[in-house]
Amino acid sequence: FSNEAKDIGGESVTEVQELIGLIMVPGQFGLKVPLELLMRVIRKDWISNFVEILGGIDLFRWYEDAVGNFMVGPRHPLEAEIILKARLGDVRAEVAYIERLISGIRGENLSDSIEINFTIDLLLRIGPNSKKYRARFAPYYLKISEKLRWLREMRGLQHPRLMLQEAYFLREYVVWQNE
C-alpha cells in the first residue's frame, strides 16, 4: 500500500486508512464485508499477498460462511465504532465509505448474492427504521438513494430489493426534509 493520500468524504486518507474505513464502517453495525467486494472497491485484486497484508493488521478477523464465502470484519463492533470516532471527522466520511461499497457490488438481477445481502443489511442498519442511526444518517439518504440509482442505471443491477431501498431512502429523505 502506498502512503499517498486521497480524499474520501472530506478526509485525507492513505490506502491503509481507506482499507480500515471500508471494514470498520460496516463493522460498527456488526457487519462483515465480503472479501471480493472489498478487493474490488480498493482495486487491489492484483496483490497476491492480500491475505497476508490483512492478516498483519490486528484490527481485522476473517470469517467464512456455510458456503465458503470469505468476509472480513472488526474484532468487535464497539472497537470499530471507537476507531471511527477517533479517525473520521464526521458522518460524511462514513457515507462516502458506504457509497464506495455500494458502487462495488455485483450480482444478478433476480438472485441474492452475498454482496447484495451485505448491502441490504448495511442499508437496513442505517435506514429510516433504525432508531439509533436514523438521525445521524437522514441528511444523507438522498446521496445513498442516488448511489443506488447509479447502480441500477449505469451498472444495470436492477435487483428488486435494491430498488426498494432506493425508493425508500428517497422517500424518507423527503420526509426528513419536511420535518
Side-chain angles (χ1 to χ4, degrees):
F1 291 104
S2 77
N3 287 327
E4 186 177 316
K6 62 177 156 180
D7 181 69
I8 296 180
E11 299 289 323
S12 180
V13 297
T14 64
E15 287 182 338
V16 171
Q17 291 169 332
E18 175 187 11
L19 175 65
I20 291 170
L22 288 168
I23 295 171
M24 294 299 178
V25 169
Q28 71 182 324
F29 308 116
L31 298 174
K32 300 159 190 77
V33 182
L35 181 61
E36 290 181 17
L37 172 62
L38 184 61
M39 290 177 66
R40 195 175 311 118
V41 170
I42 63 170
R43 293 178 172 83
K44 294 292 180 191
D45 50 358
W46 50 267
I47 295 180
S48 61
N49 60 350
F50 189 72
V51 173
E52 293 171 18
I53 291 171
L54 281 181
I57 302 174
D58 192 38
L59 297 172
F60 309 135
R61 294 292 176 257
W62 291 92
Y63 302 91
E64 183 179 2
D65 66 8
V67 293
N69 294 311
F70 288 99
M71 295 162 287
V72 181
R75 292 182 294 204
H76 194 276
L78 181 58
E79 182 180 32
E81 190 174 339
I82 291 168
I83 289 170
L84 289 174
K85 283 183 180 178
R87 289 190 173 204
L88 300 182
D90 62 7
V91 72
R92 285 183 318 149
E94 289 181 67
V95 171
Y97 282 113
I98 291 168
E99 287 181 299
R100 300 223 31 227
L101 288 166
I102 290 172
S103 68
I105 69 168
R106 289 190 184 153
E108 300 296 323
N109 287 331
L110 297 177
S111 69
D112 286 340
S113 70
I114 187 173
E115 294 179 13
I116 289 174
N117 287 335
F118 163 78
T119 304
I120 296 296
D121 287 344
L122 179 59
L123 294 173
L124 290 174
R125 299 288 198 304
I126 66 169
N129 286 336
S130 170
K131 290 179 173 72
K132 185 175 180 180
Y133 299 107
R134 182 184 193 278
R136 186 163 127 201
F137 287 98
Y140 300 95
Y141 285 170
L142 179 61
K143 283 186 78 161
I144 293 168
S145 177
E146 288 172 347
K147 184 53 77 171
L148 291 167
R149 187 184 78 215
W150 173 87
L151 190 65
R152 178 175 47 85
E153 292 178 351
M154 303 307 286
R155 299 273 304 280
L157 185 55
Q158 298 180 1
H159 193 278
R161 292 175 68 199
L162 292 173
M163 289 190 291
L164 178 63
Q165 291 299 316
E166 175 190 344
Y168 187 44
F169 272 71
L170 182 58
R171 178 181 158 278
E172 289 301 317
Y173 177 77
V174 171
V175 169
W176 175 80
Q177 283 285 82
N178 287 333
E179 290 175 356

